[in-house]
């Protein structure tokens, strides 16, 4: 058995955002993935295993350790790796850096949706949240919207200013409501439990991309935003019953199940109907996207060898 080990920097050097979008499109033409998550705990420490199997592509197990005490010692809180297995015989083909897969999967998920849902002539993109994911979104969105102007809003202005200094041509938004109203695309990656983006602020033609909420008690947009928009998700299996952004308005009756139009496995429905549509996408991630991303990374690595 020949095992390929792909570190972050060396692996990323061979990647392309449009290439990843093409890999997602091809991956969703294969049979639907089987997915499963397991969690183990020791006090505040956590081991998360996310597994996926796509017939014709292979298997992946993404393992993450979350140790909240690590930053106090100067170490990363999250560590891990992705094990990629052969579809034909189950042998371990590659060990891929956890952070590389997570970065490209997360931003690529949103980019793939925006390429289908946002207006092609979108000129202003607002990023909400000045963390690591926000920086990845800036890199990714420029691949499809090279003419767009970017702005950043963060609860902590110093963080927004630091990100704007790193990202060429980016401005700092003074007020979230004003910035949302002005943007053609709003992409949000925060840890908020209370909705930041209000439906009353939205206007026809916008695309809203929600990434941050990943637990049932988290929200980035209010019920009015969900109700006003045509809503799409990456996977019904990983969002409807698991993420507050979708689960809560369904539970309260703010929306009904038929308000969710499509996921990536329904490409004929996953599209903007009119330039005046307000489209909203919930990026839920999922182990099947980790598998598709890891396979793309390995294919790119082999092509460059």
């Amino acid at each position: 058995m020949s095992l390929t080990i792909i570190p972050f920097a060396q692996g990323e050097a061979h990647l392309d955002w449009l290439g990843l979008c093409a890999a997602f499109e091809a991956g969703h033409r294969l049979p639907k993935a089987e997915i499963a998550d397991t969690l183990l705990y020791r006090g505040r420490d956590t081991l998360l295993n996310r597994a996926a199997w796509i017939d014709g592509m292979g298997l992946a197990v993404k393992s993450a350790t979350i140790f909240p005490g690590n930053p106090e010692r100067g170490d990363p809180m999250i560590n891990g790796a992705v094990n990629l297995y052969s579809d034909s015989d189950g042998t371990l083909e590659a060990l891929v850096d956890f952070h590389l897969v997570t970065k490209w999967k997360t931003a690529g998920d949103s980019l793939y949706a925006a390429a289908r849902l946002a207006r092609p002539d979108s000129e202003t993109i607002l990023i909400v949240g000045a963390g690591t994911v926000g920086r990845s979104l800036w890199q990714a969105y420029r691949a499809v919207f090279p003419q767009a102007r970017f702005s950043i809003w963060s609860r902590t202005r110093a963080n927004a200013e630091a990100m704007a200094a790193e990202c060429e041509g980016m401005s700092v938004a003074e007020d979230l409501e004003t910035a949302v109203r002005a943007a053609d695309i709003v992409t949000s990656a925060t840890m908020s439990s209370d909705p930041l983006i209000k439906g009353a602020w939205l206007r026809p033609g916008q695309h809203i991309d929600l990434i941050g909420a990943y637990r049932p008690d988290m929200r980035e947009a209010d019920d009015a935003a969900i109700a006003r928009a045509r809503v799409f998700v990456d996977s019904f299996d990983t969002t409807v019953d698991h993420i507050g952004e979708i689960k809560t308005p369904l539970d309260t009756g703010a929306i009904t199940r038929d308000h969710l139009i499509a996921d990536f496995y329904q490409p004929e429905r996953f599209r903007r109907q009119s330039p005046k549509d307000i489209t909203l996408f919930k990026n839920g991630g999922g182990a099947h996207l980790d598998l598709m991303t890891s396979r793309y990374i390995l294919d790119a690595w082999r092509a460059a060898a």
Side-chain angles (χ1 to χ4, degrees):
M1 179 182 70
S2 177
L3 175 63
T4 300
I5 298 176
I6 304 180
F8 188 102
Q10 294 91 325
E12 186 168 57
H14 306 301
L15 305 184
D16 169 80
W17 292 107
L18 297 181
L20 178 59
C21 287
F24 283 163
E25 182 173 354
H28 284 91
R29 289 197 294 264
L30 294 173
K32 192 173 183 181
E34 292 188 48
I35 56 175
D37 292 353
T38 60
L39 288 158
L40 300 176
Y41 303 97
R42 184 191 63 188
R44 295 195 304 154
D45 301 335
T46 304
L47 169 64
L48 166 63
N49 285 314
R50 310 188 78 176
W53 190 337
I54 298 175
D55 186 20
M57 178 176 290
L59 306 83
V61 179
K62 180 180 178 181
S63 298
T65 58
I66 302 97
F67 280 49
N70 280 5
E72 299 172 6
R73 298 185 293 271
D75 297 323
M77 180 171 65
I78 300 175
N79 293 280
V82 178
N83 297 280
L84 183 61
Y85 298 90
S86 166
D87 185 61
S88 59
D89 60 12
T91 56
L92 181 61
E93 290 186 86
L95 192 65
V96 189
D97 183 276
F98 170 90
H99 298 287
L100 177 63
V101 175
T102 299
K103 171 184 175 177
W104 282 75
K105 185 277 294 282
T106 302
D109 187 354
S110 286
L111 181 66
Y112 181 52
R116 289 174 166 267
L117 299 176
R119 294 193 338 266
D121 61 348
S122 296
E123 295 182 343
T124 55
I125 299 177
L126 170 66
I127 299 174
V128 180
T132 300
V133 176
R135 287 162 169 80
S136 300
L137 292 166
W138 175 73
Q139 295 175 12
Y141 267 90
R142 291 190 302 162
V144 173
F145 304 95
Q147 80 285 0
R149 301 183 303 276
F150 286 82
S151 60
I152 173 67
W153 181 89
S154 171
R155 282 193 178 101
T156 305
R157 183 179 175 86
N159 293 343
E161 291 176 345
M163 181 170 163
E166 296 174 22
C167 301
E168 183 181 355
M170 180 177 289
S171 62
V172 175
E174 301 290 339
D175 173 73
L176 181 58
E177 177 180 351
T178 302
V180 169
R181 289 181 181 275
D184 294 320
I185 297 172
V186 179
T187 176
S188 183
T190 72
M191 298 290 286
S192 181
S193 296
D194 298 315
L196 294 169
I197 298 168
K198 312 298 184 183
W201 301 348
L202 305 184
R203 59 176 172 77
Q206 286 181 305
H207 174 64
I208 312 300
D209 170 34
L210 304 177
I211 301 163
Y214 60 89
R215 297 195 313 249
D217 60 342
M218 297 176 74
R219 298 285 300 273
E220 292 190 293
D222 67 4
D223 284 352
I226 302 293
R228 287 191 65 192
R230 300 183 70 238
V231 179
F232 303 81
V233 299
D234 49 16
S235 169
F236 290 131
D237 292 341
T238 60
T239 54
V240 174
D241 296 323
H242 308 285
I243 293 174
E245 210 78 77
I246 304 298
K247 178 177 170 52
T248 299
L250 283 172
D251 289 347
T252 63
I255 61 170
T256 57
R257 180 62 178 76
D258 59 5
H259 192 73
L260 309 179
I261 295 171
D263 69 4
F264 285 154
Y265 282 104
Q266 301 167 298
E268 71 285 350
R269 290 170 55 82
F270 203 102
R271 60 185 69 255
R272 169 176 288 270
Q273 288 186 331
S274 162
K276 294 184 178 180
D277 286 343
I278 299 172
T279 55
L280 185 147
F281 173 70
K282 177 54 201 164
N283 176 330
H288 62 301
L289 294 173
D290 290 314
L291 170 54
M292 293 179 194
T293 303
S294 300
R295 179 59 65 185
Y296 167 67
I297 291 171
L298 179 58
D299 288 346
W301 179 274
R302 288 172 170 169

